[in-house]
Amino acid sequence: MDGNAKNILPVGAIDGGETLPTKQSDIKMSAYSSWGLTDDGRMKPDLVGTGDGILSSSANGDEAYSTLTGTSVSAPNVASSLLLLQEFYTQQMHGLRFWQSGLFEPTKIRLYDN
């Protein structure tokens, strides 16, 4: 699927893994992760997560692990972070509402600012 399609959330990868960035200048896009302007001027990807040197389970056995790199490991990082935000929002609303899709865009913009 094209990362420029409507109603999708393209996820990119940043370098890191072992240390957390302490300032914005510490955050570097990974060389293998695409980024830039789309034909209609939107900046992509929408969100990024650490995708370099991530310890993950492996198909080599029940207790096997390997170090992985790529947007395929940064996407679960971003998805789980968004799920935690959803859970927090639901708790604050006393379980009455799910996070509506219209709330995501301002939240994403706020995340960019921090």
Side-chain angles (χ1 to χ4, degrees), residues 71-82:
T71 55
S72 59
V73 291
S74 65
N77 172 338
V78 169
S80 60
S81 297
L82 290 174

Side-chain angles (χ1 to χ4, degrees), residues 10 21 33 73 103 111:
S33 187
V73 291
L103 290 176
L111 291 172

Side-chain angles (χ1 to χ4, degrees), residues 97-108:
R97 298 178 47 180
F98 283 106
W99 199 9
Q100 303 297 314
S101 61
L103 290 176
F104 178 73
E105 197 67 28
T107 303
K108 182 176 70 174

Side-chain angles (χ1 to χ4, degrees), residues 3 7 19 52 65 77 106 108:
N7 295 329
T19 60
D52 188 44
Y65 295 89
N77 172 338
K108 182 176 70 174

Side-chain angles (χ1 to χ4, degrees), residues 24-89:
Q24 190 171 4
S25 61
D26 292 340
I27 301 171
K28 306 284 186 225
M29 286 294 292
S30 297
Y32 53 83
S33 187
S34 298
W35 59 276
L37 294 175
T38 62
D39 291 341
D40 61 0
R42 293 175 292 149
M43 178 62 89
K44 298 293 177 178
D46 289 333
L47 294 172
V48 294
T50 304
D52 188 44
I54 304 298
L55 184 64
S56 182
S57 57
S58 171
N60 295 331
D62 290 342
E63 296 181 22
Y65 295 89
S66 62
T67 302
L68 302 174
T69 295
T71 55
S72 59
V73 291
S74 65
N77 172 338
V78 169
S80 60
S81 297
L82 290 174
L83 184 60
L84 288 172
L85 286 172
Q86 164 69 61
E87 182 179 23
F88 178 74
Y89 176 79

